[in-house]
Amino acid sequence: MEFQPVFAGAEISIINTLWYLIVFGILLVAVKHYAWGPVKDMMEKRRQKVIDDLDQAASDRKKAETLANEREAALKNSRQEATQILSDAKSNAQKTGKQIVSEANDEASAIREKAKADAAQAKTDALNAARDEVADLSVTIAEKVIAKNLSAADQKDLVDQFIKGLND
């Protein structure tokens, strides 16, 4: 029995092999020229975009941290200012309250003093009026009793003596 190849008539020749190698080389050059360059450029652009995006993200994160720190500091300052404003307002309110109370006390004292002075004046006026009426009444009584007229100076002396007698 003779051995026969499985593929009858499929003998590969060297010319065919060379032809396949040349065609494969031409295809490699065409792929490198038309496909590999654009793919490589596209990949380089994508790599650069990713690097830029990462750099931008880091920059944005630093900016966000800076803004957060500034906002925190501003909030602390606002709280301190609010506390200071409240403290000043309380202090001013206390000062104003003390001033109002002091002015009210001064005004009340002035009213009391004026009332005392008015009362003293009223008392003096009442005593003088009473003295005059007593003098007139005494003169009238004395005229009727003695039936004679007294001079004004005599009347005044009699009234003064009468009043001194009342005070004792």
Side-chain angles (χ1 to χ4, degrees):
M1 230 192 159
E2 211 181 325
F3 180 70
Q4 288 189 352
V6 177
F7 298 107
E11 298 171 359
I12 300 179
S13 66
I14 292 192
I15 295 175
N16 283 341
T17 305
L18 284 176
W19 173 252
Y20 290 136
L21 286 175
I22 291 172
V23 170
F24 183 72
I26 291 171
L27 279 175
L28 279 179
V29 170
V31 166
K32 183 180 178 186
H33 180 69
Y34 291 109
W36 186 251
V39 169
K40 185 179 173 185
D41 289 344
M42 180 184 69
M43 294 302 284
E44 179 60 28
K45 287 178 183 175
R46 179 144 190 210
R47 184 184 71 83
Q48 190 60 43
K49 184 177 183 320
V50 168
I51 290 171
D52 291 344
D53 288 347
L54 289 174
D55 290 343
Q56 183 66 34
S59 173
D60 290 347
R61 185 178 42 86
K62 286 181 183 178
K63 286 179 184 177
E65 287 175 0
T66 302
L67 288 174
N69 291 337
E70 288 175 0
R71 206 171 32 245
E72 180 91 18
L75 184 60
K76 274 186 179 181
N77 287 340
S78 295
R79 286 182 183 154
Q80 289 174 350
E81 287 176 9
T83 302
Q84 183 64 35
I85 288 170
L86 286 175
S87 175
D88 291 346
K90 285 180 184 178
S91 176
N92 287 339
Q94 288 175 349
K95 286 178 185 176
T96 303
K98 286 179 182 178
Q99 183 180 2
I100 289 170
V101 168
S102 175
E103 288 174 359
N105 286 337
D106 291 345
E107 191 173 322
S109 276
I111 290 171
R112 267 183 268 153
E113 291 300 320
K114 187 173 186 310
K116 284 181 184 178
D118 288 348
Q121 183 63 41
K123 182 180 176 182
T124 304
D125 291 345
L127 284 176
N128 286 337
R131 188 179 301 154
D132 290 343
E133 282 190 35
V134 168
D136 289 341
L137 188 59
S138 342
V139 168
T140 305
I141 292 172
E143 281 179 355
K144 289 182 180 179
V145 171
I146 302 177
K148 79 172 195 176
N149 276 338
L150 294 175
S151 69
D154 291 337
Q155 288 177 6
K156 190 162 182 138
D157 288 339
L158 283 174
V159 170
D160 287 339
Q161 288 175 1
F162 177 74
I163 291 176
K164 282 183 187 176
L166 289 178
N167 287 336
D168 291 336

